[in-house]
mmCIF file of all heavy atoms in Angstrom:
data_model
loop_
_atom_site.group_PDB
_atom_site.id
_atom_site.type_symbol
_atom_site.label_atom_id
_atom_site.label_comp_id
_atom_site.label_asym_id
_atom_site.label_seq_id
_atom_site.Cartn_x
_atom_site.Cartn_y
_atom_site.Cartn_z
ATOM 1 N N VAL A 1 111.444 112.112 131.939
ATOM 2 C CA VAL A 1 112.731 111.643 131.406
ATOM 3 C C VAL A 1 112.459 110.948 130.063
ATOM 4 O O VAL A 1 111.831 109.826 130.175
ATOM 5 C CB VAL A 1 113.467 110.793 132.517
ATOM 6 C CG1 VAL A 1 114.906 110.378 131.898
ATOM 7 C CG2 VAL A 1 113.646 111.535 133.747
ATOM 8 N N SER A 2 113.102 111.386 128.940
ATOM 9 C CA SER A 2 112.823 110.701 127.763
ATOM 10 C C SER A 2 114.187 110.323 127.087
ATOM 11 O O SER A 2 115.155 111.072 127.356
ATOM 12 C CB SER A 2 112.066 111.553 126.816
ATOM 13 O OG SER A 2 112.831 112.812 126.490
ATOM 14 N N ALA A 3 114.034 109.262 126.303
ATOM 15 C CA ALA A 3 115.288 108.871 125.549
ATOM 16 C C ALA A 3 114.787 108.158 124.205
ATOM 17 O O ALA A 3 113.772 107.699 124.244
ATOM 18 C CB ALA A 3 116.273 107.959 126.334
ATOM 19 N N THR A 4 115.572 108.218 123.231
ATOM 20 C CA THR A 4 115.407 107.385 121.926
ATOM 21 C C THR A 4 116.459 106.371 121.978
ATOM 22 O O THR A 4 117.691 106.672 121.571
ATOM 23 C CB THR A 4 115.387 108.244 120.731
ATOM 24 O OG1 THR A 4 114.276 109.276 120.861
ATOM 25 C CG2 THR A 4 115.109 107.499 119.574
ATOM 26 N N ILE A 5 116.230 105.168 122.128
ATOM 27 C CA ILE A 5 117.194 104.030 122.277
ATOM 28 C C ILE A 5 117.262 103.440 120.787
ATOM 29 O O ILE A 5 116.342 102.779 120.360
ATOM 30 C CB ILE A 5 116.763 102.983 123.293
ATOM 31 C CG1 ILE A 5 116.631 103.577 124.639
ATOM 32 C CG2 ILE A 5 117.792 101.893 123.329
ATOM 33 C CD1 ILE A 5 116.172 102.666 125.716
ATOM 34 N N GLU A 6 118.396 103.726 120.279
ATOM 35 C CA GLU A 6 118.698 103.165 118.904
ATOM 36 C C GLU A 6 120.151 102.728 118.825
ATOM 37 O O GLU A 6 121.105 103.292 119.501
ATOM 38 C CB GLU A 6 118.391 104.281 117.845
ATOM 39 C CG GLU A 6 116.947 104.619 117.706
ATOM 40 C CD GLU A 6 116.703 105.778 116.647
ATOM 41 O OE1 GLU A 6 117.756 106.317 116.207
ATOM 42 O OE2 GLU A 6 115.620 105.983 116.184
ATOM 43 N N GLU A 7 120.372 101.766 117.903
ATOM 44 C CA GLU A 7 121.805 101.340 117.706
ATOM 45 C C GLU A 7 122.446 102.346 116.916
ATOM 46 O O GLU A 7 121.878 103.112 116.076
ATOM 47 C CB GLU A 7 121.722 100.024 116.929
ATOM 48 C CG GLU A 7 121.386 98.752 117.794
ATOM 49 C CD GLU A 7 121.136 97.577 116.940
ATOM 50 O OE1 GLU A 7 120.408 97.561 115.908
ATOM 51 O OE2 GLU A 7 121.761 96.633 117.342
ATOM 52 N N ASP A 8 123.722 102.503 117.182
ATOM 53 C CA ASP A 8 124.617 103.597 116.509
ATOM 54 C C ASP A 8 125.367 102.963 115.353
ATOM 55 O O ASP A 8 126.251 102.042 115.496
ATOM 56 C CB ASP A 8 125.643 104.140 117.471
ATOM 57 C CG ASP A 8 126.524 105.277 116.955
ATOM 58 O OD1 ASP A 8 126.125 105.596 115.700
ATOM 59 O OD2 ASP A 8 127.434 105.734 117.548
ATOM 60 N N TYR A 9 124.909 103.320 114.116
ATOM 61 C CA TYR A 9 125.485 102.599 112.880
ATOM 62 C C TYR A 9 126.532 103.588 112.276
ATOM 63 O O TYR A 9 127.128 103.253 111.136
ATOM 64 C CB TYR A 9 124.489 102.312 111.943
ATOM 65 C CG TYR A 9 123.455 101.336 112.447
ATOM 66 C CD1 TYR A 9 122.179 101.761 112.823
ATOM 67 C CD2 TYR A 9 123.746 99.892 112.459
ATOM 68 C CE1 TYR A 9 121.265 100.796 113.362
ATOM 69 C CE2 TYR A 9 122.790 99.027 112.890
ATOM 70 C CZ TYR A 9 121.516 99.485 113.333
ATOM 71 O OH TYR A 9 120.567 98.521 113.701
ATOM 72 N N SER A 10 126.957 104.693 112.912
ATOM 73 C CA SER A 10 127.766 105.615 112.364
ATOM 74 C C SER A 10 129.109 105.127 112.179
ATOM 75 O O SER A 10 130.029 105.633 111.349
ATOM 76 C CB SER A 10 127.949 107.006 113.180
ATOM 77 O OG SER A 10 128.314 106.639 114.431
ATOM 78 N N THR A 11 129.597 104.253 112.940
ATOM 79 C CA THR A 11 131.001 103.640 112.861
ATOM 80 C C THR A 11 131.051 102.459 111.900
ATOM 81 O O THR A 11 132.178 101.782 111.711
ATOM 82 C CB THR A 11 131.620 103.244 114.207
ATOM 83 O OG1 THR A 11 130.658 102.239 114.831
ATOM 84 C CG2 THR A 11 131.509 104.531 115.098
ATOM 85 N N TRP A 12 129.931 101.986 111.375
ATOM 86 C CA TRP A 12 129.935 100.803 110.432
ATOM 87 C C TRP A 12 130.817 101.033 109.213
ATOM 88 O O TRP A 12 130.645 102.093 108.624
ATOM 89 C CB TRP A 12 128.551 100.399 110.130
ATOM 90 C CG TRP A 12 127.926 99.578 111.145
ATOM 91 C CD1 TRP A 12 128.010 99.577 112.528
ATOM 92 C CD2 TRP A 12 126.878 98.360 111.014
ATOM 93 N NE1 TRP A 12 127.316 98.604 113.091
ATOM 94 C CE2 TRP A 12 126.569 97.971 112.136
ATOM 95 C CE3 TRP A 12 126.300 98.009 109.772
ATOM 96 C CZ2 TRP A 12 125.634 96.935 112.309
ATOM 97 C CZ3 TRP A 12 125.370 96.941 109.918
ATOM 98 C CH2 TRP A 12 125.005 96.500 111.139
ATOM 99 N N THR A 13 131.485 99.972 108.771
ATOM 100 C CA THR A 13 132.270 100.092 107.572
ATOM 101 C C THR A 13 131.374 99.847 106.339
ATOM 102 O O THR A 13 130.186 99.388 106.378
ATOM 103 C CB THR A 13 133.381 99.081 107.595
ATOM 104 O OG1 THR A 13 132.784 97.649 107.547
ATOM 105 C CG2 THR A 13 134.232 99.133 108.797
ATOM 106 N N ALA A 14 131.831 100.147 105.177
ATOM 107 C CA ALA A 14 131.110 99.933 103.963
ATOM 108 C C ALA A 14 130.800 98.504 103.685
ATOM 109 O O ALA A 14 129.591 98.033 103.253
ATOM 110 C CB ALA A 14 131.934 100.440 102.668
ATOM 111 N N GLN A 15 131.657 97.545 104.198
ATOM 112 C CA GLN A 15 131.455 96.034 104.165
ATOM 113 C C GLN A 15 130.283 95.693 104.988
ATOM 114 O O GLN A 15 129.418 94.862 104.676
ATOM 115 C CB GLN A 15 132.713 95.323 104.500
ATOM 116 C CG GLN A 15 132.552 93.757 104.559
ATOM 117 C CD GLN A 15 132.225 93.194 103.161
ATOM 118 O OE1 GLN A 15 132.564 93.830 102.104
ATOM 119 N NE2 GLN A 15 131.560 92.087 103.205
ATOM 120 N N GLN A 16 130.234 96.267 106.251
ATOM 121 C CA GLN A 16 129.186 95.926 107.163
ATOM 122 C C GLN A 16 127.808 96.442 106.565
ATOM 123 O O GLN A 16 126.814 95.728 106.764
ATOM 124 C CB GLN A 16 129.444 96.525 108.513
ATOM 125 C CG GLN A 16 130.471 95.909 109.363
ATOM 126 C CD GLN A 16 130.817 96.723 110.659
ATOM 127 O OE1 GLN A 16 131.010 97.866 110.645
ATOM 128 N NE2 GLN A 16 130.704 95.967 111.704
ATOM 129 N N MET A 17 127.849 97.606 106.025
ATOM 130 C CA MET A 17 126.517 98.160 105.396
ATOM 131 C C MET A 17 126.102 97.232 104.286
ATOM 132 O O MET A 17 124.970 97.112 103.971
ATOM 133 C CB MET A 17 126.764 99.504 105.040
ATOM 134 C CG MET A 17 126.983 100.559 106.209
ATOM 135 S SD MET A 17 125.676 100.655 107.322
ATOM 136 C CE MET A 17 124.505 101.626 106.335
ATOM 137 N N ALA A 18 127.082 96.733 103.516
ATOM 138 C CA ALA A 18 126.702 95.912 102.329
ATOM 139 C C ALA A 18 126.055 94.626 102.677
ATOM 140 O O ALA A 18 125.315 93.989 101.956
ATOM 141 C CB ALA A 18 128.083 95.689 101.443
ATOM 142 N N THR A 19 126.445 94.146 103.861
ATOM 143 C CA THR A 19 125.920 92.816 104.338
ATOM 144 C C THR A 19 124.825 92.847 105.355
ATOM 145 O O THR A 19 124.421 91.995 105.918
ATOM 146 C CB THR A 19 127.045 91.999 104.811
ATOM 147 O OG1 THR A 19 127.657 92.618 105.924
ATOM 148 C CG2 THR A 19 128.086 91.677 103.793
ATOM 149 N N ALA A 20 124.252 94.071 105.483
ATOM 150 C CA ALA A 20 123.309 94.359 106.607
ATOM 151 C C ALA A 20 121.913 93.961 106.038
ATOM 152 O O ALA A 20 121.663 93.742 104.945
ATOM 153 C CB ALA A 20 123.220 95.793 106.967
ATOM 154 N N PRO A 21 121.013 93.749 106.960
ATOM 155 C CA PRO A 21 119.618 93.430 106.644
ATOM 156 C C PRO A 21 118.909 94.631 106.018
ATOM 157 O O PRO A 21 119.381 95.845 106.161
ATOM 158 C CB PRO A 21 118.886 93.086 107.892
ATOM 159 C CG PRO A 21 119.863 93.851 108.945
ATOM 160 C CD PRO A 21 121.113 93.722 108.512
ATOM 161 N N ASP A 22 117.953 94.430 105.223
ATOM 162 C CA ASP A 22 117.213 95.484 104.477
ATOM 163 C C ASP A 22 115.732 95.243 104.604
ATOM 164 O O ASP A 22 115.252 94.315 103.919
ATOM 165 C CB ASP A 22 117.627 95.503 103.100
ATOM 166 C CG ASP A 22 117.091 96.594 102.306
ATOM 167 O OD1 ASP A 22 116.328 97.391 102.870
ATOM 168 O OD2 ASP A 22 117.330 96.706 101.121
ATOM 169 N N ILE A 23 114.974 96.064 105.388
ATOM 170 C CA ILE A 23 113.548 95.737 105.635
ATOM 171 C C ILE A 23 112.880 96.451 104.441
ATOM 172 O O ILE A 23 113.092 97.456 104.036
ATOM 173 C CB ILE A 23 113.139 96.395 107.018
ATOM 174 C CG1 ILE A 23 111.646 95.957 107.295
ATOM 175 C CG2 ILE A 23 113.442 97.840 107.167
ATOM 176 C CD1 ILE A 23 111.170 96.265 108.664
ATOM 177 N N LEU A 24 111.827 95.755 104.023
ATOM 178 C CA LEU A 24 110.943 96.307 103.010
ATOM 179 C C LEU A 24 109.470 95.967 103.269
ATOM 180 O O LEU A 24 109.037 94.785 103.559
ATOM 181 C CB LEU A 24 111.322 95.537 101.635
ATOM 182 C CG LEU A 24 110.391 95.984 100.503
ATOM 183 C CD1 LEU A 24 110.485 97.382 100.116
ATOM 184 C CD2 LEU A 24 110.687 95.081 99.171
ATOM 185 N N ILE A 25 108.673 97.052 103.454
ATOM 186 C CA ILE A 25 107.297 96.912 103.628
ATOM 187 C C ILE A 25 106.684 97.867 102.492
ATOM 188 O O ILE A 25 106.725 99.089 102.539
ATOM 189 C CB ILE A 25 106.769 97.451 105.024
ATOM 190 C CG1 ILE A 25 107.539 96.579 106.082
ATOM 191 C CG2 ILE A 25 105.306 97.356 105.072
ATOM 192 C CD1 ILE A 25 107.170 97.121 107.556
ATOM 193 N N GLU A 26 106.177 97.247 101.448
ATOM 194 C CA GLU A 26 105.806 98.021 100.238
ATOM 195 C C GLU A 26 104.550 98.877 100.521
ATOM 196 O O GLU A 26 104.452 100.046 100.234
ATOM 197 C CB GLU A 26 105.546 97.157 99.029
ATOM 198 C CG GLU A 26 106.828 96.565 98.453
ATOM 199 C CD GLU A 26 106.504 95.868 97.223
ATOM 200 O OE1 GLU A 26 105.299 95.533 96.941
ATOM 201 O OE2 GLU A 26 107.471 95.499 96.528
ATOM 202 N N ASP A 27 103.510 98.343 101.168
ATOM 203 C CA ASP A 27 102.263 99.113 101.455
ATOM 204 C C ASP A 27 102.258 99.447 102.917
ATOM 205 O O ASP A 27 101.982 98.635 103.809
ATOM 206 C CB ASP A 27 101.068 98.267 101.095
ATOM 207 C CG ASP A 27 101.134 97.915 99.524
ATOM 208 O OD1 ASP A 27 101.269 98.897 98.832
ATOM 209 O OD2 ASP A 27 100.643 96.815 99.279
ATOM 210 N N LYS A 28 102.635 100.760 103.166
ATOM 211 C CA LYS A 28 102.789 101.104 104.601
ATOM 212 C C LYS A 28 101.401 101.741 105.172
ATOM 213 O O LYS A 28 101.415 102.054 106.278
ATOM 214 C CB LYS A 28 103.889 102.232 104.686
ATOM 215 C CG LYS A 28 105.278 101.632 104.371
ATOM 216 C CD LYS A 28 106.298 102.614 104.630
ATOM 217 C CE LYS A 28 107.779 102.072 104.322
ATOM 218 N NZ LYS A 28 107.798 101.883 102.769
ATOM 219 N N VAL A 29 100.532 101.946 104.251
ATOM 220 C CA VAL A 29 99.247 102.647 104.563
ATOM 221 C C VAL A 29 98.030 101.652 104.182
ATOM 222 O O VAL A 29 98.014 101.294 103.153
ATOM 223 C CB VAL A 29 99.016 104.062 103.989
ATOM 224 C CG1 VAL A 29 97.616 104.672 104.452
ATOM 225 C CG2 VAL A 29 100.156 104.951 104.362
ATOM 226 N N PHE A 30 97.216 101.393 105.200
ATOM 227 C CA PHE A 30 96.031 100.675 104.872
ATOM 228 C C PHE A 30 94.789 101.445 105.232
ATOM 229 O O PHE A 30 94.618 101.939 106.292
ATOM 230 C CB PHE A 30 95.930 99.417 105.802
ATOM 231 C CG PHE A 30 94.701 98.540 105.696
ATOM 232 C CD1 PHE A 30 94.252 97.983 104.404
ATOM 233 C CD2 PHE A 30 93.773 98.493 106.670
ATOM 234 C CE1 PHE A 30 93.034 97.344 104.247
ATOM 235 C CE2 PHE A 30 92.596 97.887 106.695
ATOM 236 C CZ PHE A 30 92.181 97.278 105.369
ATOM 237 N N ASP A 31 93.803 101.736 104.247
ATOM 238 C CA ASP A 31 92.718 102.509 104.422
ATOM 239 C C ASP A 31 91.471 101.444 104.445
ATOM 240 O O ASP A 31 91.239 100.802 103.368
ATOM 241 C CB ASP A 31 92.471 103.394 103.249
ATOM 242 C CG ASP A 31 91.455 104.440 103.420
ATOM 243 O OD1 ASP A 31 90.436 104.135 104.199
ATOM 244 O OD2 ASP A 31 91.497 105.451 102.818
ATOM 245 N N PHE A 32 90.943 101.349 105.595
ATOM 246 C CA PHE A 32 89.739 100.507 105.820
ATOM 247 C C PHE A 32 88.387 101.003 105.428
ATOM 248 O O PHE A 32 87.406 100.434 105.607
ATOM 249 C CB PHE A 32 89.699 99.936 107.134
ATOM 250 C CG PHE A 32 89.717 100.811 108.346
ATOM 251 C CD1 PHE A 32 88.526 101.508 108.620
ATOM 252 C CD2 PHE A 32 90.884 101.233 109.048
ATOM 253 C CE1 PHE A 32 88.426 102.455 109.571
ATOM 254 C CE2 PHE A 32 90.804 102.196 110.105
ATOM 255 C CZ PHE A 32 89.544 102.830 110.409
ATOM 256 N N GLY A 33 88.441 102.223 104.863
ATOM 257 C CA GLY A 33 87.236 102.906 104.362
ATOM 258 C C GLY A 33 86.258 103.318 105.518
ATOM 259 O O GLY A 33 86.719 103.909 106.421
ATOM 260 N N GLU A 34 85.023 102.950 105.266
ATOM 261 C CA GLU A 34 84.060 103.406 106.204
ATOM 262 C C GLU A 34 83.473 102.190 106.943
ATOM 263 O O GLU A 34 83.042 101.287 106.358
ATOM 264 C CB GLU A 34 82.974 104.218 105.595
ATOM 265 C CG GLU A 34 81.924 104.768 106.607
ATOM 266 C CD GLU A 34 80.916 105.664 105.858
ATOM 267 O OE1 GLU A 34 81.273 106.897 105.503
ATOM 268 O OE2 GLU A 34 79.720 105.283 105.686
ATOM 269 N N ILE A 35 83.499 102.142 108.268
ATOM 270 C CA ILE A 35 83.042 101.043 109.059
ATOM 271 C C ILE A 35 82.157 101.647 110.337
ATOM 272 O O ILE A 35 82.189 102.829 110.565
ATOM 273 C CB ILE A 35 84.150 100.050 109.597
ATOM 274 C CG1 ILE A 35 84.924 100.968 110.638
ATOM 275 C CG2 ILE A 35 84.920 99.491 108.609
ATOM 276 C CD1 ILE A 35 85.995 100.185 111.309
ATOM 277 N N LYS A 36 81.286 100.707 110.841
ATOM 278 C CA LYS A 36 80.352 101.072 111.884
ATOM 279 C C LYS A 36 81.207 100.837 113.217
ATOM 280 O O LYS A 36 82.221 100.134 113.295
ATOM 281 C CB LYS A 36 79.156 100.378 111.953
ATOM 282 C CG LYS A 36 78.186 100.588 110.686
ATOM 283 C CD LYS A 36 76.999 99.741 110.805
ATOM 284 C CE LYS A 36 76.148 100.066 109.528
ATOM 285 N NZ LYS A 36 74.777 99.285 109.617
ATOM 286 N N GLN A 37 80.594 101.400 114.299
ATOM 287 C CA GLN A 37 81.197 101.285 115.682
ATOM 288 C C GLN A 37 81.017 99.669 115.983
ATOM 289 O O GLN A 37 80.173 99.013 115.525
ATOM 290 C CB GLN A 37 80.532 102.127 116.643
ATOM 291 C CG GLN A 37 80.963 103.524 116.576
ATOM 292 C CD GLN A 37 80.258 104.297 117.642
ATOM 293 O OE1 GLN A 37 79.177 104.007 118.145
ATOM 294 N NE2 GLN A 37 80.907 105.490 117.994
ATOM 295 N N ASN A 38 81.948 99.337 116.951
ATOM 296 C CA ASN A 38 82.089 97.969 117.476
ATOM 297 C C ASN A 38 82.422 96.845 116.415
ATOM 298 O O ASN A 38 81.974 95.787 116.562
ATOM 299 C CB ASN A 38 80.674 97.602 118.148
ATOM 300 C CG ASN A 38 80.415 98.555 119.297
ATOM 301 O OD1 ASN A 38 81.293 99.006 120.100
ATOM 302 N ND2 ASN A 38 79.177 98.995 119.328
ATOM 303 N N VAL A 39 83.111 97.329 115.407
ATOM 304 C CA VAL A 39 83.494 96.457 114.286
ATOM 305 C C VAL A 39 85.129 96.364 114.411
ATOM 306 O O VAL A 39 85.729 97.381 114.446
ATOM 307 C CB VAL A 39 83.157 96.923 112.906
ATOM 308 C CG1 VAL A 39 83.739 96.177 111.900
ATOM 309 C CG2 VAL A 39 81.555 96.899 112.800
ATOM 310 N N LYS A 40 85.602 95.183 114.177
ATOM 311 C CA LYS A 40 87.143 95.004 114.107
ATOM 312 C C LYS A 40 87.527 94.831 112.762
ATOM 313 O O LYS A 40 86.934 94.123 111.972
ATOM 314 C CB LYS A 40 87.494 93.809 114.928
ATOM 315 C CG LYS A 40 87.308 93.952 116.424
ATOM 316 C CD LYS A 40 87.887 92.750 117.131
ATOM 317 C CE LYS A 40 87.821 92.854 118.756
ATOM 318 N NZ LYS A 40 88.428 91.599 119.429
ATOM 319 N N VAL A 41 88.679 95.556 112.396
ATOM 320 C CA VAL A 41 89.160 95.518 111.048
ATOM 321 C C VAL A 41 90.670 94.834 111.219
ATOM 322 O O VAL A 41 91.418 95.418 111.994
ATOM 323 C CB VAL A 41 89.276 96.881 110.330
ATOM 324 C CG1 VAL A 41 89.910 96.734 108.996
ATOM 325 C CG2 VAL A 41 87.786 97.417 110.218
ATOM 326 N N GLU A 42 90.952 93.991 110.372
ATOM 327 C CA GLU A 42 92.307 93.351 110.442
ATOM 328 C C GLU A 42 93.096 93.521 109.150
ATOM 329 O O GLU A 42 92.464 93.391 108.029
ATOM 330 C CB GLU A 42 92.050 91.838 110.767
ATOM 331 C CG GLU A 42 93.376 91.016 110.957
ATOM 332 C CD GLU A 42 93.204 89.600 111.286
ATOM 333 O OE1 GLU A 42 92.662 89.378 112.284
ATOM 334 O OE2 GLU A 42 93.538 88.749 110.492
ATOM 335 N N HIS A 43 94.289 93.834 109.161
ATOM 336 C CA HIS A 43 95.121 93.972 107.984
ATOM 337 C C HIS A 43 96.532 93.374 108.340
ATOM 338 O O HIS A 43 97.169 93.646 109.422
ATOM 339 C CB HIS A 43 95.231 95.377 107.629
ATOM 340 C CG HIS A 43 96.157 95.538 106.366
ATOM 341 N ND1 HIS A 43 95.816 95.158 105.123
ATOM 342 C CD2 HIS A 43 97.425 96.047 106.201
ATOM 343 C CE1 HIS A 43 96.728 95.445 104.203
ATOM 344 N NE2 HIS A 43 97.694 95.995 104.940
ATOM 345 N N ALA A 44 97.139 92.671 107.360
ATOM 346 C CA ALA A 44 98.467 92.150 107.576
ATOM 347 C C ALA A 44 99.513 92.847 106.638
ATOM 348 O O ALA A 44 99.337 92.920 105.430
ATOM 349 C CB ALA A 44 98.439 90.615 107.092
#
């Protein structure tokens, strides 16, 4: 049994959309290059 639980924004007015939050993540991909086994890599 599967479902995708998301808020329904189809009924929002133009005013609601204009005052809505706006998420920005500029760098969505982090390439940690080449590492050895048993090593931890951290990225924010």
Side-chain angles (χ1 to χ4, degrees):
V1 182
S2 68
T4 300
I5 303 175
E6 295 179 344
E7 291 173 305
D8 183 9
Y9 299 103
S10 61
T11 59
W12 275 33
T13 65
Q15 177 63 27
Q16 286 177 304
M17 296 297 288
T19 57
D22 183 2
I23 186 172
L24 175 65
I25 305 177
E26 290 188 345
D27 298 321
K28 298 183 181 67
V29 179
F30 173 66
D31 190 337
F32 54 78
E34 188 176 282
I35 62 174
K36 295 181 179 181
Q37 285 184 335
N38 301 317
V39 172
K40 290 184 178 180
V41 177
E42 181 178 299
H43 179 71

